[in-house]
Amino acid sequence: MGKVQEVMQGDTASFLGFPRAHGRAGVRNGLLVLGINGLIAPAAHRIAAALPGSTCVATPYGRGQLGPDKAMHTAQLVGLGCHPNIGATLIVGVDRPSADGLGAAITARSGKPLAIITLDDVHEDALLLTERGIRLGGRLTRDLSEERRSMVPVSDLFIGIECGHSDATSGIISNPLVGAIADSLVDLGGTAVIGETLEWLGAEHVLAERAADAIVGAAVVAAVTRREQEVAALGVDLLYNNPGHENVRGGLSSIEEKSLGAIAKAGERPIRSVLDFAEPPSAPGLHVMDGPGFSPESLTGFAAAGAQIMLFTTGPGNSFCSRLAPTIKISGHPGTVRVLTEQIDFDASPLFRGEKAADAVAAELFDLMLAVASGTATWGEIFGEGDECFARFGGSF
Amino acid sequence: MAAIHAPKTGEAWDAMAIHPDDTVAVALRDLAGEAQVRIGGSIHKVLLREPIPLGHKLALRSHGIGEAVLKYGQSIGTATAAIPAGAHVHVHNMASRRARKMD
């Protein structure tokens, strides 16, 4: 048993959340206004603006998509519509059939209250759409206000682990720190995911060796190889691009070293599966998601898979947060935590300065994670830094 | 490893190894002369052959040519020159295996 588990004994290994009919509990309980088509995104934003406490996620896409790209776009919309931190969903769409189809998929998976308004219902009048949407959303919001938090075991937590704007401190301080949190959470029955496939390049053998079985191990290597070949086909040589000049100046000597620092945030537990982008894990434990390396898209993949909280490590700072999952910003760089006082949620610099032991700092971060799960606001929530960024896997036709 | 001293409780450190098997440690500040290196639960004094900039690596033991350099308990590449304990380890004396494999 590790230090964190010793600290988190008995009743403290829980948080105050919103239990759901299906799936994990919420750590927040707002209304989601889900704009499922770029045409009505402005109306979706107007509706959400009129309903304080609601959250708007509106895709800029939704027409002319085909094949795997369309399937992945739908998977993201359904996943975000089902997110545990959402108490009810208002779908704002263009045509009834597609909105009904999406609504049925969200209801089947989440069982949550849901309402739908489309341009079909209002003779293409976007202002009438807005008015009806506000009324529908208002009713859902009033029902949500009757729900209360209750004790939920920490095993119900699913965290997404992200790093962005890495520097010399990321791989040695904050990534191993969140890796320790992932280990502790997994040991307590919870779930964690890391993504950004190309950040495993040069360290994929380490992840593969940690796979729960040979099939998962082969899938890890195949995911990296596929993306490496796709990049190579575009004429880009990742191995000589990465680590970049700034990384080399900062002390990184090889792609192996850079990627080992990146995967340090995955801790040391066995990898249960390689998830497709936006795919919910089917079992507790540690998972990896085959997805893009751009932080906003990566976080949206985790959110669509149902992660309730994000742990986001950064060296010099990176303000982007998930809109649906409170995002705990962590930096081990002493200068960053001194300057970004309303952006970095957790100061890991005592580790960098050699002032505290890793176990003690990990226990503090685990405490903060449970506090955020129980309602403590992150800086990103307070200042509205959250957004979701839909990933595309092909062009529109 | 050069000049190991018995760990002292409460002693500060200015470089750290990440994994007990590591053959290099990372400087937490610009270092010269000697480094107090944290390895697991203990502090070790390492005499430096040259200054080590913040974020860069120092050798905890000597490496022969072709020998793996270990960080995170894993190979991050191989020595391309003899690297004595206390030396700066970087692109001038180690190289990626992964990159070579793809040549």
Side-chain angles (χ1 to χ4, degrees), chain A residues 7-287:
Chain A
V7 173
M8 298 289 140
Q9 284 174 351
D11 289 345
T12 57
S14 58
F15 64 96
L16 286 168
F18 294 94
R20 304 295 182 203
H22 305 298
R24 295 184 177 81
V27 305
R28 299 292 182 268
N29 200 42
L31 169 74
L32 173 67
V33 178
L34 184 63
I36 63 167
N37 189 296
L39 296 180
I40 47 69
H45 284 292
R46 281 197 299 273
I47 292 167
L51 296 168
S54 68
T55 297
C56 185
V57 173
T59 177
Y61 309 119
R63 284 286 162 96
Q65 290 181 262
L66 297 170
D69 179 56
K70 182 184 169 95
M72 199 56 78
H73 189 249
T74 302
Q76 291 173 75
L77 284 169
V78 172
L80 296 171
C82 292
H83 195 277
N85 296 348
I86 291 307
T89 299
L90 173 66
I91 289 180
V92 184
V94 172
D95 65 285
R96 260 283 152 188
S98 66
D100 283 344
L102 208 62
I106 290 171
T107 301
R109 196 200 289 179
S110 73
K112 282 183 209 168
L114 180 124
I116 299 173
I117 180 74
T118 69
L119 278 176
D120 273 356
D121 310 329
V122 291
H123 316 292
E124 310 298 322
D125 184 342
L127 296 182
L128 192 52
L129 180 84
T130 303
E131 189 204 316
R132 291 216 188 146
I134 292 169
R135 290 177 190 277
L136 280 169
R139 284 181 210 141
L140 290 169
T141 301
R142 188 170 191 282
D143 291 343
L144 286 181
S145 73
E146 294 176 352
E147 297 176 3
R148 302 289 178 265
R149 288 182 184 267
S150 60
M151 293 292 264
V152 175
V154 73
S155 58
D156 215 34
L157 273 186
F158 170 24
I159 60 172
I161 304 180
E162 181 73 28
C163 60
H165 270 168
S166 299
D167 71 3
T169 66
S170 304
I172 59 171
I173 304 292
S174 46
N175 286 353
L177 172 65
V178 297
I181 301 299
D183 286 349
S184 297
L185 182 61
V186 167
D187 291 347
L188 291 166
T191 308
V193 64
I194 70 157
E196 304 179 286
T197 313
L198 277 176
E199 301 265 312
W200 317 337
L201 182 68
E204 66 267 48
H205 60 290
V206 178
L207 287 176
E209 283 166 14
R210 283 175 45 198
D213 59 48
I215 295 170
V216 173
V220 168
V221 174
V224 175
T225 303
R226 180 177 63 80
R227 287 179 185 266
E228 188 181 7
Q229 288 171 347
E230 284 175 5
V231 172
L234 296 171
V236 177
D237 184 348
L238 287 170
L239 294 170
Y240 293 102
N241 246 336
N242 212 337
H245 297 304
E246 285 184 11
N247 289 145
V248 170
R249 201 159 49 236
L252 293 180
S253 311
S254 68
I255 184 67
E256 293 97 311
E257 183 179 13
K258 181 174 187 289
S259 291
L260 286 165
I263 68 164
K265 63 185 183 289
E268 297 179 345
R269 297 298 174 261
I271 295 163
R272 296 289 160 199
S273 76
V274 180
L275 301 169
D276 276 337
F277 189 72
E279 180 188 2
S282 57
L286 176 68
H287 301 261

Side-chain angles (χ1 to χ4, degrees), chain A residues 168-173 176 200-206 209 224 228 239-240 247-257 260-262 264 268 350-358, chain B residues 10-16 18-19 24 26-29 38 53-57 71-78 88-103:
Chain A
T169 66
S170 304
I172 59 171
I173 304 292
W200 317 337
L201 182 68
E204 66 267 48
H205 60 290
V206 178
E209 283 166 14
V224 175
E228 188 181 7
L239 294 170
Y240 293 102
N247 289 145
V248 170
R249 201 159 49 236
L252 293 180
S253 311
S254 68
I255 184 67
E256 293 97 311
E257 183 179 13
L260 286 165
E268 297 179 345
L351 282 175
F352 187 81
R353 285 193 298 267
E355 294 167 357
K356 285 186 183 176
Chain B
E11 193 176 0
W13 55 93
D14 49 28
M16 61 184 283
I18 296 164
H19 189 277
V24 292
V26 181
L28 300 179
R29 53 185 67 94
R38 186 185 163 107
L54 181 156
H56 286 238
K57 294 175 289 297
K71 184 182 171 188
Y72 301 100
Q74 299 287 335
S75 170
I76 58 169
T78 51
H88 183 208
V89 181
H90 201 23
V91 291
H92 64 288
N93 56 10
M94 67 156 278
S96 168
R97 276 180 178 170
R98 174 69 193 248
R100 286 185 166 189
K101 196 176 74 179
M102 299 298 286
D103 275 349

